[in-house]
Amino acid sequence: PYYIESYDISNTAGSSNVAGMVVFENAKPKKSAYKKFSIKSFDGQDDYGSMAEIIRRRFTEYIDAQGNDDADEGFKKLPDLILLDGGKGQVNAVLPLLQEFNLDVPIFGMVKDNKHRTSAISTSGGRIEFNSKRKAFSLVTQIQDEVHRFSVEYHRKKHTKSALENSLTQIKGIGEKKAKTLIVKFRTIDNIRNASVDE
C-alpha cells in the first residue's frame, strides 16, 4: 500500500473525546494530510462508537468531495489501507460502513502485546503476527506510535482548553462565550490574571 491512513481515539475517562488521523505516503509521514476530529455523536467513553463515527465522517467527506473542486484535498481520495489503533473490536465496529458506502478499502487493527509493543494486525476474524525483523513490522510500529502521539497531543490541548473554560465560567459574569473569547485572546489563566481591567 502506497497511501495509508491510520486512526486513534483519545479521551480522559470519557471526556474530551477526540481522534487523530495520520497519513503515510510511500512509507513516510505526510503531515500536511493529518486530520483532527472531535467526537460529536455522544458523551462518555466508547472507543468502538468513536471509531465508527470518525470513519463514517471520513467516508462521507470522500463521497461529498467527488466532483467538488473546493473540497479538502486530503479527503478526495481513498487510502490503499486503513489501520486502526486497536484490535478486532475496532475493526468490527467500522466494517459495516464499507458495505453502507459501497467502498473497498482494506481495514486492519494494530495490536500491541503485553509490553505495549506492536505485535500483529487484526482482521474481524483473526490476526497476522509480525516478525520483528521485517520491514512491515517497523512500518506499522512507526505508524501506530505516530497516530497515538498525534491523537494524545490533540486530546491534551483540547482537555486543557476545556478545563480552562470551565474554571473561567465559575467567575460571576463570565459565560461560555466570554470564556472562549478570553482564552483565544490571552491563552493562559496567568495572562488573564495579569491583564488590566481595560484589557
Side-chain angles (χ1 to χ4, degrees):
Y2 179 77
Y3 195 88
I4 301 170
E5 288 180 3
S6 183
Y7 297 81
D8 186 25
I9 306 297
S10 186
N11 62 60
T12 302
S15 70
S16 300
N17 285 300
V18 301
M21 176 189 106
V22 302
V23 173
F24 275 61
E25 188 173 58
N26 197 21
K28 292 183 176 70
K30 185 178 182 179
K31 296 197 174 183
S32 62
Y34 285 18
K35 305 283 182 207
K36 299 170 184 172
F37 300 88
S38 291
I39 306 302
K40 298 177 177 177
S41 60
F42 60 88
D43 291 320
Q45 188 166 358
D46 180 352
D47 285 355
Y48 300 159
S50 297
M51 196 65 82
E53 178 190 321
I54 295 313
I55 299 299
R56 175 181 293 284
R57 285 165 60 186
R58 167 62 178 105
F59 288 163
T60 300
E61 289 279 2
Y62 167 72
I63 299 294
D64 292 347
Q66 301 314 297
N68 180 357
D69 293 338
D70 297 327
D72 186 317
E73 286 296 325
F75 289 132
K76 279 188 175 180
K77 68 178 183 176
L78 285 176
D80 301 315
L81 172 67
I82 291 176
L83 295 173
L84 310 175
D85 190 59
K88 70 178 182 179
Q90 277 83 355
V91 174
N92 285 332
V94 302
L95 280 181
L97 297 172
L98 289 173
Q99 289 183 320
E100 182 183 328
F101 285 86
N102 195 26
L103 297 172
D104 183 20
V105 182
I107 297 180
F108 290 89
M110 298 177 290
V111 182
K112 290 185 176 177
D113 61 20
N114 56 6
K115 294 181 181 173
H116 215 61
R117 293 178 306 201
T118 305
S119 63
I121 54 174
S122 173
T123 65
S124 59
R127 47 194 277 151
I128 302 167
E129 303 290 334
F130 280 121
N131 177 330
S132 63
K133 295 185 172 92
R134 301 279 174 154
K135 288 182 181 178
F137 166 80
S138 299
L139 177 60
V140 173
T141 298
Q142 184 184 359
I143 291 171
Q144 190 168 32
D145 290 346
E146 177 65 356
V147 74
H148 182 72
R149 178 203 65 76
F150 185 65
S151 65
V152 167
E153 184 180 277
Y154 176 43
H155 171 261
R156 282 187 184 136
K157 285 182 183 172
K158 185 172 181 186
H159 186 67
T160 301
K161 186 177 176 187
S162 175
L164 184 54
E165 283 177 16
N166 287 339
S167 66
L168 287 172
T169 56
Q170 303 302 311
I171 300 168
K172 187 177 177 182
I174 297 182
E176 282 185 32
K177 192 172 180 183
K178 192 172 280 185
K180 285 180 180 169
T181 304
L182 288 167
I183 290 164
V184 168
K185 177 155 178 60
F186 293 103
R187 304 254 181 235
T188 69
I189 286 283
D190 283 342
N191 288 345
I192 293 170
R193 188 180 290 121
N194 295 328
S196 69
V197 174
D198 287 342
E199 286 176 309

